[in-house]
Amino acid sequence: PCEHSFPTRRSSDLAAAASSVGSSCYSIPTTRTHSQYPYSVDVWSGDDGSPVITHGRTLTSKIPARDALAAIAQYAFLASAFPVILSIEIHCDTAQQDRLATIFRETLGDKLLDRRIDDGSGEIEQLPSPWQLRGKILLKVSFILSLRLSGD
């Protein structure tokens, strides 16, 4: 059980902004400054070998993952210092997943929570509070397996 609750919602802040304003990393700051909900992000394989963010199989345009994450890093904490949760659905191939991991580290830097915040010894007895996670970006990742039928 989680000792602290974070607000969540199923709809995608980025997709909603993209469909109403047009897909660009300029719509990202607006979604965070008006909302404390997590970003919901779908990552797909880009044609040039770099992952892209799009609301898969729709007419929404593609945003390079690096550009979107740079905008998130720049604007994530303007409205609040409390943690940002990126709910990521991974639809891209393994090579682009590796590239995405590098992009996360390079663009988010020390804002990315990539290790324990305590001394790291022993079992975790209590999850950190939102107060302890101020200024941090947390990742919640789902891998989506795409099954292709013969003839597709």
Side-chain angles (χ1 to χ4, degrees):
C2 188
E3 289 87 5
H4 311 283
S5 64
F6 292 95
T8 60
R9 78 176 173 199
R10 185 114 174 105
S11 64
S12 170
D13 287 336
L14 289 179
S19 63
S20 63
V21 181
S23 296
S24 78
C25 49
Y26 298 111
S27 62
I28 293 169
T30 305
T31 62
R32 177 64 179 171
T33 57
H34 292 90
S35 171
Q36 292 302 314
Y37 296 102
Y39 289 114
S40 178
V41 179
D42 292 354
V43 183
W44 294 79
S45 292
D47 297 333
D48 66 352
S50 291
V52 294
I53 294 175
T54 187
H55 198 59
R57 298 187 180 95
T58 66
L59 297 178
T60 306
S61 60
K62 298 173 183 175
I63 304 171
R66 181 176 297 281
D67 293 352
L69 291 171
I72 290 170
Q74 182 176 356
Y75 295 102
F77 302 105
L78 290 181
S80 171
F82 284 103
V84 171
I85 300 171
L86 297 181
S87 179
I88 313 287
E89 282 191 9
I90 305 289
H91 299 268
C92 52
D93 61 46
T94 306
Q96 291 197 31
Q97 289 175 32
D98 291 341
R99 180 119 172 87
L100 181 63
T102 300
I103 292 169
F104 273 119
R105 287 187 196 99
E106 290 174 355
T107 58
L108 301 180
D110 62 351
K111 293 175 184 162
L112 179 64
L113 183 65
D114 62 353
R115 61 186 53 92
R116 290 172 58 164
I117 63 170
D118 60 6
D119 64 7
S121 62
E123 295 282 327
I124 296 175
E125 294 180 20
Q126 182 176 358
L127 293 174
S129 70
W131 184 259
Q132 292 171 301
L133 296 172
R134 285 172 299 145
K136 293 295 183 185
I137 298 175
L138 291 71
L139 303 181
K140 175 188 155 288
V141 180
S142 301
F143 292 92
I144 308 301
L145 300 176
S146 176
L147 300 176
R148 302 224 166 148
L149 301 175
S150 60
D152 281 356

